[in-house]
Amino acid sequence: MYDYICGNIDNNANVRVYENSILSGCVCTGGGILFSIIIDLKSLSKGINWQNTRRLIYGNLVAATSDNFDTSCFLLSVEDRSNISIDGTIHVRCQKELGDNKMMKTPIGTKLTLLETTAYFEAYRPILSALQSIKDDKIPLSSYLLGCKQDIALPAYFENNYTLDFTNIITNNVHIGDIRDISTWPTADQFGLDHSQYKALQQALTQCVGIIQGPPGTGKTHIGVKLTEIFYHNRENLLISKTIPSTGSKPILM
């Protein structure tokens, strides 16, 4: 495993390797147990400016092993690197359940190899924690997000009412459309959208899962505003928790 990772490290700019690191101790803090690790600075580029580099910054995720991942693997997040330019020391926190106990049994002075991901772990922590709290059979939209089902159904909040009121969205005149029949909708020109934007709007309204992507300036935010207006204007029809209490489905716009 380790040989495979290191053999491909030159082709993977998202992983950094720190070999010959040393576990130097542990510290009890109000926030839990931290472990101190000494990084072998001599093996790194001399041009690293530890004041500005994003290496080993607070929150970065690190995997540590004492035997090339044969039997040991500790998942750590960096807590402090303020002394790294002085003596190479960083302080880390275990992330894996019961990881503190296992790492506590590792003798001081043990050599470690660290693999650091460039992704900022702290930004994902709340999402990952929330996912851990969801039971396997209760994951919303699991048939699409996990099962990769491609036949995407109408949103549940349209199951009992197929009408969509576009009045005041594009004109002051009454305009009621059928969610199942695009020909009853206002045109792209009436929405002020080009063809691809109009298709994205259709997808977001007619599918229970929709993804809109595009480079800067292509109108993603503009479409989001249109969707918000439509959902808000139709809010009474979409709040179907009274008619289908088992689902309580409502629109989610990200």
Side-chain angles (χ1 to χ4, degrees):
M1 177 69 167
Y2 174 74
D3 291 339
Y4 173 81
I5 294 174
C6 290
N8 291 274
I9 205 69
D10 292 335
N11 298 321
N12 191 345
N14 296 319
V15 178
R16 305 183 182 112
V17 179
Y18 304 90
E19 296 183 294
N20 299 319
S21 301
I22 298 175
L23 179 64
S24 58
C26 64
V27 180
C28 293
T29 70
I33 298 175
L34 301 181
F35 297 91
S36 56
I37 297 176
I38 299 176
I39 304 297
D40 181 16
L41 299 180
K42 295 180 180 179
S43 64
L44 302 179
S45 170
K46 294 182 180 179
I48 297 177
N49 184 340
W50 290 105
Q51 294 295 323
N52 301 318
T53 183
R54 298 190 62 81
R55 284 174 175 263
L56 299 172
I57 61 172
Y58 170 80
N60 272 14
L61 188 65
V62 175
T65 179
S66 59
D67 59 3
N68 295 343
F69 295 104
D70 286 339
T71 62
S72 70
C73 179
F74 305 107
L75 297 179
L76 318 168
S77 62
V78 179
E79 289 288 316
D80 178 64
R81 67 163 195 194
S82 56
N83 289 328
I84 192 168
S85 61
I86 300 173
D87 57 12
T89 298
I90 62 172
H91 288 94
V92 298
R93 183 187 304 278
C94 270
Q95 295 299 324
K96 191 175 181 180
E97 185 179 2
L98 301 178
D100 286 358
N101 294 333
K102 294 179 181 179
M103 199 158 179
M104 287 284 286
K105 297 177 182 179
T106 304
I108 301 300
T110 298
K111 281 192 175 183
L112 300 172
T113 297
L114 309 182
L115 299 183
E116 177 193 22
T117 174
T118 57
Y120 187 57
F121 172 68
E122 284 299 320
Y124 297 96
R125 181 197 294 272
I127 298 171
L128 296 174
S129 297
L131 288 174
Q132 287 180 319
S133 68
I134 300 176
K135 295 182 179 179
D136 291 345
D137 60 343
K138 300 294 183 181
I139 297 177
L141 304 171
S142 60
S143 61
Y144 304 107
L145 302 180
L146 302 181
C148 300
K149 182 180 178 182
Q150 296 184 19
D151 183 17
I152 303 178
L154 274 174
Y157 41 81
F158 283 126
E159 288 180 356
N160 285 2
N161 188 346
Y162 297 119
T163 61
L164 202 57
D165 188 356
F166 295 104
T167 305
N168 297 327
I169 302 299
I170 58 157
T171 177
N172 291 328
N173 298 325
V174 176
H175 191 131
I176 306 298
D178 187 323
I179 191 67
R180 301 164 298 177
D181 185 359
I182 303 299
S183 67
T184 65
W185 292 25
T187 65
D189 289 339
Q190 288 176 303
F191 273 118
L193 304 175
D194 63 26
H195 177 71
S196 63
Q197 293 169 344
Y198 191 46
K199 295 292 287 186
L201 183 78
Q202 293 173 6
Q203 181 198 74
L205 290 173
T206 61
Q207 297 182 359
C208 61
V209 177
I211 299 175
I212 299 175
Q213 63 180 11
T218 53
K220 298 184 298 297
T221 303
H222 183 54
I223 295 172
V225 171
K226 291 293 183 185
L227 287 170
T228 303
E229 290 176 343
I230 293 171
F231 284 139
Y232 182 76
H233 189 62
N234 289 269
R235 62 192 182 280
E236 296 300 327
N237 290 335
L238 297 179
L239 295 178
I240 65 153
S241 55
K242 296 179 181 178
T243 57
I244 309 181
S246 62
T247 62
S249 299
K250 302 175 184 178
I252 298 175
L253 183 65
M254 291 175 52

